[in-house]
């Protein structure tokens, strides 16, 4: 069922006025850039040091052993249910909740869950639970293992995200139970093998869904202070500012951006015709399209980082220094492309899981005009948040005389990304 792989189908049918969409977007970016340059001369974000501690009762409930056990049990039970559905259920996404559970409840559902509650997948990740149980049975400390090389960073997670988005957007039959079982089996084997060798810390860097959830959770109002592990309420900007500058961070965010961009233009009639008539075959042509979209996003960001380095004259690692500013942009694209999918196919999947045979998905709560407004607003707001995050980092890293000039390449990049994102909705 193609709806499992795409948020709302043909984006070009939405009632969007190109003039007002682009004019509003450019005005928002320029006004925010000028206002920040005039009024924001010193860094205001404090990263992990910021936040107001939650009441002790909430802290005890969140960190209590019963809560942790319940969350692990829920994650493990849900994973077993999905696997059994894929193994024993019909190979029909209209009657089997397995594909919807993976593509909608997990992949798309992690977006609002992580924004509201923080890095939730770390708490319910069934593979962490399996590793924990296996270590206890063997009398081992689950945290003990060979140290991970620093240069490895988040690269395994970036590769895992690329593999999953290929499955979702390119694979010939992504909703097939056989296809999903093969992917989930390979993913499970790779993650458990890595954890057996390197300990539970492997999941922090290599589990694609855990890293994906963790990056989105940087924009959550809930966070933890590393110094005392207290749960705090914080500005999402402080959480974003605290994003570790880890190897592979840029690659991970570029996969998130590039794959969502590919999802946007893969429904265009011209692209459908291209892949269907390509002498390379549909799958090969679509694979090259997905890789090309990710590579284009990464190349534009690399050019921007190079220009920032030339202007600053002293910043050694601009690629990772400003990578956090891409996270809200990725979030805006995810909301724009997957909102309708989540609010229609999510309840439908739950109804199937509860025993309803071939349920009819509910209508979207927003009409075409409302969806169009939401999409444009999500993309523009994501870029504005990116501009703010980049500006605060600039005034911290650059000499006062170069702080505004150093952001010009980033502004150009944001305008380029905005133009591309809106074009995918309108074209």
């Amino acid at each position: 069922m193609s709806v499992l792989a795409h948020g709302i189908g043909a984006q070009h049918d939405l009632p969007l006025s190109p003039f007002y969409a682009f004019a509003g977007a450019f005005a928002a970016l320029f006004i925010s850039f000028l206002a920040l340059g005039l009024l924001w001369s010193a860094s205001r974000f404090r990263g992990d040091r910021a936040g107001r501690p939650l009441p002790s009762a909430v802290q005890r409930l969140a960190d209590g052993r019963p809560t942790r056990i319940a969350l692990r049990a829920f994650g493990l039970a849900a994973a077993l249910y999905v696997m059994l559905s894929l193994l024993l259920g019909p190979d029909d996404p209209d009657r089997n909740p397995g594909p919807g559970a993976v593509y909608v409840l997990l992949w798309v559902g992690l977006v609002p869950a992580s924004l509201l509650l923080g890095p939730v997948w770390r708490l319910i990740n069934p593979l962490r639970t399996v590793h924990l149980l296996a270590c206890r049975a063997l009398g081992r400390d689950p945290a003990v293992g060979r140290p991970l090389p620093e240069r490895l960073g988040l690269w395994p997670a970036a590769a895992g995200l690329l593999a999953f988005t290929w499955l979702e957007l390119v694979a010939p039959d992504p909703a097939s139970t056989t296809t999903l079982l093969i992917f989930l089996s390979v993913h499970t084997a790779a993650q458990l093998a890595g954890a057996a060798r390197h300990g539970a810390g492997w999941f922090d860097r290599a589990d694609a869904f855990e890293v994906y959830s963790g990056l989105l959770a940087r924009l959550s109002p809930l966070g933890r202070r590393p110094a005392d592990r207290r749960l705090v309420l914080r500005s999402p900007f402080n959480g974003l500012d605290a994003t570790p500058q880890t190897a592979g961070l840029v690659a991970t965010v570029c996969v998130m951006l590039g794959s969502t961009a590919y999802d946007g233009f893969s429904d265009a009639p011209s692209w459908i015709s291209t892949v269907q008539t390509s002498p390379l075959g549909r799958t090969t042509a679509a694979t090259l399209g997905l890789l090309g979209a990710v590579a284009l996003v990464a190349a534009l960001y690399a050019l921007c980082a190079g220009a920032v380095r030339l202007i600053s004259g002293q910043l050694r690692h601009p690629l990772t220094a400003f990578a956090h500013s891409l996270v809200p942009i990725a979030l805006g694209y995810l909301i724009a492309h997957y909102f309708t999918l989540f609010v229609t196919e999510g309840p439908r999947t739950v109804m199937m899981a509860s025993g309803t045979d071939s349920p009819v998905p509910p209508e979207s709560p927003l009409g075409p005009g409302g969806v169009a407004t939401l999409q444009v607003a999500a993309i523009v707001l994501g870029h504005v948040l990116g501009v703010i995050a980049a500006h605060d980092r600039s005034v911290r890293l650059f000499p006062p005389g170069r702080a505004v000039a150093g952001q010009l390449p980033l502004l150009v990049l944001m305008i380029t990304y905005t133009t591309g994102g809106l074009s995918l909705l309108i074209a």
Side-chain angles (χ1 to χ4, degrees):
M1 188 170 74
S2 62
V3 72
L4 289 177
H6 300 283
I8 57 172
Q11 311 285 343
H12 54 274
D13 292 333
L14 293 175
L16 292 171
S17 167
F19 174 79
Y20 288 114
F22 284 108
F26 295 157
L29 288 174
F30 276 113
I31 291 172
S32 60
F33 176 77
L34 293 174
L36 290 169
L38 293 172
L39 304 175
W40 198 310
S41 59
S43 176
R44 302 183 184 185
F45 302 147
R46 298 188 295 124
D48 282 332
R49 296 171 296 162
R52 177 178 298 177
L54 293 175
S56 299
V58 176
Q59 182 81 31
R60 287 194 298 269
L61 177 63
D63 291 340
R65 180 178 173 84
T67 302
R68 296 304 178 101
I69 292 176
L71 290 172
R72 292 192 187 108
F74 169 77
L76 190 58
L80 289 173
Y81 177 83
V82 171
M83 293 299 287
L84 289 174
S85 296
L86 295 173
L87 279 169
L88 306 177
D91 192 10
D92 179 0
D94 288 326
R95 298 168 54 219
N96 190 327
V102 174
Y103 290 123
V104 182
L105 299 183
L106 172 59
W107 176 243
V108 184
L110 274 178
V111 177
S114 301
L115 286 177
L116 293 174
L117 303 173
V120 291
W121 189 247
R122 192 180 194 279
L123 301 176
I124 64 176
N125 187 349
L127 299 184
R128 272 191 183 270
T129 303
V130 170
H131 175 251
L132 175 64
L133 294 175
C135 287
R136 287 184 175 174
L138 297 172
R140 293 176 50 185
D141 182 351
V144 173
R146 296 187 181 183
L148 284 163
E150 284 298 320
R151 64 180 180 276
L152 186 66
L154 300 180
W155 281 102
L161 278 176
L162 185 60
F164 180 79
T165 54
W166 180 91
L167 176 75
E168 180 198 17
L169 302 173
V170 174
D173 193 2
S176 162
T177 55
T178 301
T179 301
L180 278 169
L181 282 170
I182 291 173
F183 173 83
L184 293 175
S185 298
V186 172
H187 173 73
T188 298
Q191 292 302 311
L192 292 180
R197 181 180 177 86
H198 298 287
W202 167 263
F203 297 110
D204 294 324
R205 297 189 183 185
D207 187 296
F209 301 108
E210 199 162 296
V211 171
Y212 171 72
S213 173
L215 283 175
L216 294 172
R218 290 289 167 184
L219 288 164
S220 170
L222 288 176
R224 281 189 185 271
R225 289 192 307 218
D228 55 11
R229 302 302 298 162
R230 289 295 303 271
L231 281 172
V232 297
L233 283 176
R234 66 186 182 187
S235 162
F237 284 115
N238 283 310
L240 190 62
D241 187 65
T243 304
Q245 296 182 34
T246 309
L249 172 62
V250 174
T252 304
V253 180
C254 286
V255 169
M256 293 169 63
L257 281 169
S259 60
T260 310
Y262 177 77
D263 182 28
F265 73 75
S266 64
D267 274 333
S270 59
W271 179 251
I272 293 174
S273 176
T274 298
V275 297
Q276 289 179 343
T277 59
S278 171
L280 298 175
R282 177 208 168 275
T283 302
T284 302
T287 300
L288 292 176
L290 173 62
L291 294 176
V294 175
L296 178 61
V297 169
L300 291 173
Y301 180 67
L303 287 173
C304 169
V308 168
R309 184 173 184 177
L310 286 175
I311 293 173
S312 70
Q314 61 184 35
L315 193 59
R316 295 183 58 189
H317 303 291
L319 276 173
T320 53
F322 291 95
H324 70 300
S325 66
L326 300 183
V327 175
I329 299 174
L331 172 62
Y333 285 179
L334 288 168
I335 294 173
H337 285 273
Y338 292 120
F339 168 78
T340 303
L341 175 68
F342 184 66
V343 298
T344 57
E345 291 300 316
R348 182 175 179 276
T349 300
V350 173
M351 286 189 284
M352 273 194 286
S354 64
T356 304
D357 188 38
S358 301
V360 177
E363 292 291 329
S364 172
L366 300 177
V371 170
T373 301
L374 174 67
Q375 289 184 311
V376 172
I379 289 177
V380 174
L381 181 59
H383 285 83
V384 170
L385 296 180
V387 168
I388 295 172
H391 176 84
D392 190 85
R393 185 63 57 88
S394 294
V395 297
R396 182 186 308 168
L397 297 179
F398 295 164
R402 297 186 181 182
V404 174
Q407 295 174 68
L408 290 175
L410 292 165
L411 177 63
V412 173
L413 178 71
M414 300 296 181
I415 291 173
T416 303
Y417 283 167
T418 304
T419 302
L422 293 179
S423 296
L424 294 176
L425 296 178
I426 298 169

